[in-house]
Amino acid sequence: MNAFKAHYFDGQSSRLHEVEVQRLDVHTIRVLGDGIDRSAVASSLRISPRLARITRTIEFSDGARILASDHPLLDQWFPQEDRLQRMVDRLERHAHAVAASIVLCLVVGIATFAWGVPWLADRIATRVPPGIEEKLGSEVLGQLDEYFGFAPSGVSQARQDELSARFDMLRADMPDARDYQLVFRDAASIGPNALAIPGGTIVVTDQLTGLFDNDREFDAVVAHELGHQQHRHALRQTLRSSFVLVIAALFTGDVSSASAIVVGVPAFLLQNHYSRGFEEEADAFAFATLAAHGTSPAWFAAAMRKLDDFHHDSDEDEGIAYLSSHPSSFARIAAAEAEGETFIAAHPELIRETPGYDACADEGICADEDEDSEVGDCDDADCTDAGESAGHDEAAAGADSGACDKSAVEGKKGF
Amino acid sequence: MEEQLDAVPPLPPALPEPPVPAGPGLPSVPSVFEHRFVFDGRADEYFRIWIVNLALTLLSLGIFSAWAKVRSERYFYGSTRLAGVPFEYTAKPLPILKGRIIAVSLFSAYIVAGQYSLFMQLGLALLIAVLTPWLIVRGAAFRARYSSWRGLNFRFIPDYGEAYIRFLVLGLPLILSLGLLYPWVKGKQKAFIVENHRFGGSWFKFLLSPGQFYPPYLIAWGVLSAWMFVFSMLMFGVIMASGSVRSGEGPAGLLVFGMTAFMYLGYFVVLAFLAAAIANLIYNHIDIGGRRLRSTLKGRQLLWIYASNTIAILGSAGLLIPWAKIRLAQYRADCLCLLAADDFNDMLAERATGVDATAAEVDGLFDIDIGL
């Protein structure tokens, strides 16, 4: 075959000419039909690169053009000069190349979100001037006050000073200690909670201070928030989320028009993923800080339990479906307890200052018949009255046995 | 008209479709034919193009993206036919690469400047603002110049003075009116884009006054405001949920997330209807040398496509993006037709008609396409 049917346009008018394109010899092409009869040197014609089934265009130097369905003949008659496009076309038609492309894109995509975004966000976070971070922080606090009904604290000044003194002790050795400040707020809307706000401010709700009956639990929570501040988690989290938004918008922007929602869901999921890492980091920081101040990290576990219990109860009251088992919470409590055991192993003299320490069960100093059946080992011990119950650390002084602390801690895990 | 499709981006606003102007608005020529836009792109075919080009873009650290864009555009243009003849996208990758390098440099300069001096960053922001109308004109001119059908090119007349008035100066009354003039300004801008287009020697006319953009926007605003009012307070819960001791685990986090999602849902719905209404409004008032377009996009249908596209893209880690693009293009083409009394054989190129032939060669100087 050395001819094919095509459409011819002269480039001056929109008139469509039904023509036949013939190859007279290797060098000469002739277009014939519908009032058209022109010949041209094949090498003076330019053919559009091959692309799927798309109509090919063969352009004359004067702007006239032939439009023809794709056909193997075309690439013999009019060699494609663009070698790059020719190669890409071959790849697009090659199943293995397509498969390899899928793998490559997925791997790069996952790596970008898993490592690229956090890395970039963290790099930028270190360069954000402290002034901007502080402004951001006061902005956030303002919004909390305005939209969440955060009210001035109802905690007495004396108590506030007492807790602030503990806070000052915890932060004393930290590099950016002077930037950190503790703020009290009455926030019924969110209940017991503590927030680390960009710029170094830590907000503690009255509901939180009221929830704990031991100041060491308060220390544990504050140490955790200090961990967030030390690692600038609030700012880094904000930056990460915005990067995810930008990247996702780039890829989905023109497909769904409402990129906000396309982007919102993965951004939220990733945010949760990222923040879990941050929580662990802050926890580890809290454990170290507590231990350095002679407080067992097990107090963090105690504080977490109380928070969990509180939220559990309030959920059921309000009838909100709630993920009743949140493994990450259990994992964190377990980690805190493990740290607590390590701590006690290193400082056996502090055994009495651990949460749930029961002088009766642990040291055998019981009053009368003991109701603590969990700790069977000590049931029949010769007991004297210690008058202390779980949750209070100010246990009566006495000889340190340590024999039963392990089972006491484990008993706690049933919560 | 593929380029027109894109000139009207899936933009914000509009609600119910205004009734398509029937016969009366059309030229009173005896027999007007309805020429449908036919789109025959296939998702499987486009997927291969898309994934291979994306992979090459990644491997080349973004440089190949210009080639990828050309191949992708060519596929969509070439798959769209009117009166049996496909559209052509004839741009070369290098100018696009140039445009992208400039855009990325500007953006990076803006980011980097922020690290060192706020003053410098403000200066750059101002520069970008001042450049915007120019970029809009350049982008439209580039796109038009490399779009062709039946051997004739589209063209966009680069009227910079008018562009600065409509895309920059009008921003002042817009701000002073606290946004009330938004539909009017939007209308002026759309009119500018439409009226400066030519196809061969045929001029585009826009038969709509800017005031007629008000109804869809007002409806959208009304619905959206009511929706926003209810949920705006809960939105700030996101701030609260981050950085708290029990971040993301508590009921508060879930509740706030649910409410935020609910609010976006309303936004999404309004946006789809508004997009359909505005697109119809614009297309149905374009006159190209006595020929008229007719667009019959339905808000509900568009909403369904947007929603299902969104879910498909999320559920496939992005792999269904090509499928989503194809079906959106399919639907848009299905809803568009050209009403003309002739067989399109008598339109002439600009050179042939002697219309404003001076500007064509000037384009080459700043032959860049901005827009990622």
Side-chain angles (χ1 to χ4, degrees):
Chain A
M1 181 173 129
N2 48 355
F4 61 85
K5 297 263 182 228
H7 289 166
Y8 175 88
F9 298 97
D10 63 13
Q12 301 301 306
S13 92
S14 60
R15 178 165 295 279
L16 183 152
H17 304 267
E18 304 268 4
V19 295
E20 193 176 77
V21 181
Q22 306 168 343
R23 181 150 81 155
L24 300 182
D25 57 63
V26 185
H27 305 293
T28 319
I29 299 295
R30 186 178 184 201
V31 182
L32 192 65
D34 196 13
I36 301 293
D37 183 2
R38 71 182 287 186
S39 301
V41 180
S43 60
S44 72
L45 304 179
R46 226 158 277 280
I47 188 163
S48 62
R50 191 159 180 241
L51 176 70
R53 294 166 293 136
I54 297 305
T55 303
R56 306 288 291 274
T57 304
I58 300 138
E59 201 178 355
F60 291 82
S61 47
D62 64 356
R65 55 188 56 211
I66 300 163
L67 263 59
S69 305
D70 190 31
H71 191 279
L73 217 56
L74 290 174
D75 290 301
Q76 287 174 27
W77 290 14
F78 314 96
Q80 176 57 251
E81 288 159 26
D82 194 330
R83 291 169 65 187
L84 177 63
Q85 299 244 20
R86 221 167 50 203
M87 178 204 78
V88 177
D89 178 65
R90 272 206 299 274
L91 290 178
E92 285 165 2
R93 292 169 197 276
H94 201 291
H96 289 168
V98 170
S101 296
I102 295 175
V103 172
L104 178 77
C105 291
L106 286 178
V107 167
V108 171
I110 291 165
T112 301
F113 284 116
W115 297 296
V117 168
W119 180 81
L120 193 62
D122 292 353
R123 289 295 301 264
I124 289 176
T126 59
R127 285 161 176 264
V128 170
I132 289 182
E133 200 178 339
E134 268 165 41
K135 254 197 105 191
L136 187 64
S138 59
E139 195 93 346
V140 170
L141 189 57
Q143 283 176 344
L144 289 172
D145 287 345
E146 191 172 341
Y147 298 103
F148 277 97
F150 276 36
S153 173
V155 175
S156 74
Q157 191 58 46
R159 179 67 179 143
Q160 283 192 22
D161 291 345
E162 207 177 301
L163 293 173
S164 293
R166 299 189 78 93
F167 172 76
D168 287 341
M169 233 154 65
L170 282 176
R171 69 168 177 164
D173 313 325
M174 296 178 189
D176 297 316
R178 68 199 150 71
D179 296 332
Y180 299 155
Q181 53 166 332
L182 188 64
V183 172
F184 296 89
R185 285 286 192 278
D186 181 9
S189 62
I190 65 161
N193 220 328
L195 315 168
I197 288 175
T201 302
I202 290 171
V203 182
V204 178
T205 67
D206 290 2
Q207 288 72 16
L208 183 85
T209 52
L211 183 71
F212 297 144
D213 33 32
N214 190 302
D215 284 348
R216 289 193 175 91
E217 289 162 338
F218 174 84
D219 290 349
V221 169
V222 165
H224 171 90
E225 298 303 327
L226 281 168
H228 281 314
Q229 294 294 11
Q230 276 285 294
H231 297 293
R232 300 180 93 183
H233 284 161
L235 180 68
R236 284 161 68 193
Q237 183 74 51
T238 310
L239 285 169
R240 287 177 183 198
S241 306
S242 21
F243 277 126
V244 172
L245 286 176
V246 170
I247 293 173
L250 275 180
F251 278 92
T252 57
D254 54 339
V255 190
S256 86
S257 122
S259 41
I261 198 156
V262 176
V263 155
V265 177
F268 178 81
L269 296 177
L270 281 166
Q271 181 160 324
N272 262 2
H273 166 73
Y274 289 149
S275 55
R276 229 176 302 139
F278 283 167
E279 294 305 331
E280 278 164 21
E281 210 171 21
D283 284 357
F285 183 88
F287 301 157
T289 305
L290 290 173
H293 287 83
T295 306
S296 167
W299 286 104
F300 185 78
M304 284 291 288
R305 278 210 186 88
K306 281 193 177 147
L307 282 165
D308 267 2
D309 290 347
F310 177 88
H311 285 284
H312 252 297
D313 295 345
S314 62
D315 294 336
E316 278 149 21
D317 291 349
E318 291 163 29
I320 297 168
Y322 177 58
L323 305 170
S324 56
S325 66
H326 21 95
S328 66
S329 203
F330 287 128
R332 290 170 66 189
I333 290 173
E337 273 166 357
E339 286 288 330
E341 283 172 32
T342 314
F343 175 78
I344 288 304
H347 307 275
E349 74 281 5
L350 293 173
I351 179 65
R352 267 169 282 107
E353 298 183 6
T354 51
Y357 176 73
D358 189 326
C360 166
D362 297 351
E363 299 179 28
I365 346 173
C366 297
D368 27 20
E369 50 284 348
D370 192 8
E371 60 277 296
D372 194 352
S373 54
E374 284 176 8
V375 227
D377 293 14
C378 301
D379 266 3
D380 46 5
D382 178 347
C383 296
T384 56
D385 183 19
E388 288 297 328
S389 59
H392 286 261
D393 64 310
E394 311 298 340
D400 175 26
S401 76
C404 296
D405 68 305
K406 197 157 184 159
S407 54
V409 170
E410 274 165 2
K412 273 274 178 191
K413 282 181 184 163
F415 268 83
Chain B
M1 293 330 308
E2 181 65 16
E3 48 99 33
Q4 270 309 118
L5 283 174
D6 286 312
V8 186
L11 75 174
L15 279 194
E17 309 79 29
V20 177
L26 307 168
S28 54
V29 184
S31 52
V32 172
F33 297 103
E34 196 182 273
H35 299 275
R36 309 208 66 92
F37 284 76
V38 176
F39 181 81
D40 66 349
R42 291 200 328 236
D44 59 331
E45 205 172 53
Y46 180 57
F47 176 80
R48 290 168 163 261
I49 297 170
W50 181 78
I51 196 80
V52 167
N53 283 272
L54 183 58
L56 290 172
T57 299
L58 292 172
L59 287 175
S60 66
L61 302 177
I63 291 169
F64 190 79
S65 70
W67 280 259
K69 181 192 161 118
V70 167
R71 288 186 78 76
S72 176
E73 292 284 355
R74 279 189 61 216
Y75 185 77
F76 280 94
Y77 273 59
S79 300
T80 309
R81 288 164 190 269
L82 181 62
V85 180
F87 287 85
E88 280 180 76
Y89 182 75
T90 54
K92 298 276 171 285
L94 274 177
I96 292 172
L97 182 62
K98 210 163 68 180
R100 290 188 168 190
I101 290 173
I102 291 175
V104 169
S105 313
L106 268 180
F107 186 68
S108 317
Y110 177 80
I111 298 288
V112 172
Q115 309 275 327
Y116 298 105
S117 127
L118 198 62
F119 184 73
M120 233 163 77
Q121 194 172 29
L122 279 176
L124 268 170
L126 201 67
L127 179 71
I128 292 172
V130 167
L131 278 179
T132 301
W134 182 79
L135 293 176
I136 289 169
V137 171
R138 294 302 339 144
F142 184 89
R143 193 166 252 291
R145 190 172 156 211
Y146 294 109
S147 301
S148 81
W149 182 61
R150 298 180 83 102
L152 300 186
N153 284 342
F154 285 84
R155 205 155 77 73
F156 185 81
I157 310 300
D159 183 348
Y160 294 106
E162 200 57 39
Y164 271 93
I165 289 175
R166 304 209 185 187
F167 288 96
L168 199 62
V169 177
L170 284 188
L172 193 66
L174 178 63
I175 293 166
L176 291 179
S177 70
L178 302 175
L180 281 179
L181 283 179
Y182 183 80
W184 182 79
V185 171
K186 215 68 197 159
K188 293 291 273 184
Q189 292 173 350
K190 292 295 172 199
F192 170 78
I193 296 290
V194 170
E195 285 176 344
N196 282 291
H197 269 97
R198 309 272 183 275
F199 173 67
S202 308
W203 294 41
F204 279 55
K205 273 191 294 224
F206 198 44
L207 314 169
L208 198 64
S209 73
Q212 287 171 278
F213 276 77
Y214 269 95
Y217 277 103
L218 287 180
I219 295 170
W221 267 342
V223 175
L224 211 53
S225 307
W227 195 271
M228 291 283 266
F229 180 77
V230 179
F231 297 109
S232 62
M233 308 185 94
L234 294 151
M235 209 174 76
F236 291 90
V238 175
I239 298 161
M240 181 207 77
S242 65
S244 80
V245 195
R246 315 181 64 256
S247 136
E249 293 166 11
L254 283 177
L255 188 68
V256 167
F257 176 64
M259 288 304 180
T260 311
F262 204 51
M263 199 197 70
Y264 273 121
L265 200 68
Y267 180 68
F268 193 82
V269 170
V270 171
L271 221 71
F273 277 90
L274 190 56
I278 293 289
N280 287 341
L281 193 63
I282 292 172
Y283 284 131
N284 289 328
H285 294 87
I286 293 177
D287 175 297
I288 308 157
R291 299 167 189 88
R292 291 286 297 275
L293 285 166
R294 192 175 72 194
S295 168
T296 51
L297 292 170
K298 299 262 182 295
R300 243 179 314 141
Q301 189 65 29
L302 207 56
L303 175 64
W304 158 243
I305 292 177
Y306 284 161
S308 46
N309 275 359
T310 301
I311 292 165
I313 291 172
L314 290 180
S316 65
L319 288 179
L320 283 179
I321 287 176
W323 174 80
K325 283 175 110 163
I326 290 284
R327 64 198 283 261
L328 186 58
Q330 180 80 63
Y331 178 62
R332 286 180 158 178
D334 287 349
C335 290
L336 195 64
C337 63
L338 184 66
L339 305 170
D342 63 344
D343 55 4
F344 306 111
N345 271 336
D346 306 315
M347 300 164 109
L348 294 178
E350 253 176 355
R351 271 159 299 174
T353 56
V355 178
D356 195 9
T358 44
E361 73 282 3
V362 184
D363 287 0
L365 190 56
F366 291 110
D367 208 3
I368 54 172
D369 181 33
I370 305 284
L372 306 161

